């Protein structure tokens, strides 16, 4: 491993202007999930110029891509996200994720032949709800991949994010309209159905796991009080610490909602809003490599604290059930600044954000290089991954 760190570090520095330009241009032009055409063109263009074999519009997604380098050896994936949020732009800092992933791929490629490894940079659209990584998985995109990693901006340097599994659903109630004063007996009130379902869920909340969450809003509830609503609609989010528990909880929620429809003699349909996101199986072996490599850039990366400051859901969780994965977080803002706020969006374009792009790209590239150079570590990571998946299958969380 002589000189590998020095080389990947220098290769990132040599491309600093390109990486920071990518980060800034994406930030200036935020694109919503599955509409990231500018980001797709920008990133694939650079990867191609640097000698990657690029497949655009990959895995059935217009804004997805795959870029491969290296001829033999373990295949290590680096994920780039680049979608933004409505109104508040890059308030999740995915411009940083894209720039760090790009930099990691480019720098790793320069040592791939020497160390005998392959790197694949995945462009994974629509992390904010659309689940690009779920489509990537379903299309077989992770076949042959040995491990996967990405790096997310945050208010602290931590080994991983506390990720909960989430399912989001849209619910529609249908009844029969009638004049609410003249012929109420002819009406079947869809709003009643929705309200009764809501109340059922409120009762359910007493009997779910301490870390499970259910929240809903009505998105349609009628037009005039004197018209019995024949249509009502709601959206519900169901969260559970693990994917196994999530499926069970979502069924209980659906039963509550259907009972409301039944009581009001209405019908109900539910449909998923995007794919369900699994929790994250954080790989300790990969995490420790990342921690040690980030330390070379002067960062003190620790496990997340008990304050639960960084909790969320991500489609990287689904990836973590398929291959050994990590999703560490890199500090770009003072502590206390939350993701998905206009304040965080400013930090994603700040000097601290720029420093994170370069540090993060180096730490990720070196982690890829470690896995190429030390196959015994990759084997250890895989053994840990298989044990963790098996444990989750045998003991669904409640
Ligand atoms: Zn986000
Ligand atoms: Zn994010």
């Amino acid at each position: 491993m002589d000189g590998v760190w020095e080389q990947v570090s220098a290769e990132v520095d040599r491309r600093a202007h390109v990486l920071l330009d990518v980060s800034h241009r994406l930030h200036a032009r935020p694109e919503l999930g599955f509409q990231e055409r500018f980001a797709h063109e920008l990133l694939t263009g650079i990867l191609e110029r640097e000698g990657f074999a690029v497949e655009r519009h990959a895995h059935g997604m217009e804004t997805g891509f795959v870029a491969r380098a290296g001829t033999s050896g373990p295949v290590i994936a680096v994920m780039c996200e680049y979608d933004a949020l409505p109104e508040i732009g890059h308030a999740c800092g995915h411009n940083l994720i894209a720039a760090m992933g790009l930099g990691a791929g480019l720098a790793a490629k320069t040592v791939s032949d020497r160390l005998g490894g392959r790197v694949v940079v995945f462009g994974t659209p629509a992390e904010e709800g659309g689940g690009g990584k779920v489509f990537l998985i379903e299309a077989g995109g992770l076949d042959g991949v040995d491990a996967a990693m990405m790096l997310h901006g945050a208010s602290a340097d931590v080994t991983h994010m506390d990720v909960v599994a989430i399912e989001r659903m849209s619910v529609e109630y249908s009844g029969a309209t009638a004049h609410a004063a003249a012929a109420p007996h002819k009406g079947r009130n869809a709003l009643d159905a929705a309200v009764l379902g809501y109340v059922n869920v409120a009762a359910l909340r007493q009997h779910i796991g301490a870390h499970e969450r259910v929240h809903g809003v009505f998105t349609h509830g009628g037009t005039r009080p004197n018209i019995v609503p024949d249509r009502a609609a709601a959206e519900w989010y169901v969260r559970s610490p693990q994917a196994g528990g999530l499926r069970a909880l979502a069924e209980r929620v659906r039963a509550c909602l259907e009972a409301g429809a039944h009581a009001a003699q209405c019908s109900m349909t539910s449909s998923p809003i995007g794919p369900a996101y699994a929790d994250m199986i954080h790989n300790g072996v990969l995490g420790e490599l990342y921690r040690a490599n980030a330390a070379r850039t002067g960062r003190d990366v620790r496990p997340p604290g008990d304050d639960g400051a960084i909790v969320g859901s991500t489609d990287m969780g689904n990836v973590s059930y398929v291959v050994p994965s990590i999703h560490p977080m890199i500090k770009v803002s003072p502590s206390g600044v939350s993701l998905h706020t206009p304040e965080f969006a400013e930090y994603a374009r700040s000097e601290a954000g720029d420093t994170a792009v370069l540090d993060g790209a180096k730490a990720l590239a070196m982690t890829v290089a470690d896995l190429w150079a030390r196959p015994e570590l990759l084997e250890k990571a895989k053994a840990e991954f298989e044990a963790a998946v098996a444990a989750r299958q045998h003991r669904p969380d409640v």
Side-chain angles (χ1 to χ4, degrees), residues 228-240:
V228 173
D230 63 349
R231 190 178 88 78
E235 286 187 6
W236 286 92
Y237 289 6
V238 181
R239 301 181 200 251
S240 188

Side-chain angles (χ1 to χ4, degrees), residues 257-279:
L257 301 176
E258 268 160 11
H262 191 66
Q265 282 192 288
C266 292
S267 61
M268 187 197 105
T269 56
S270 70
S271 53
I273 306 173
Y277 285 8
D279 57 300

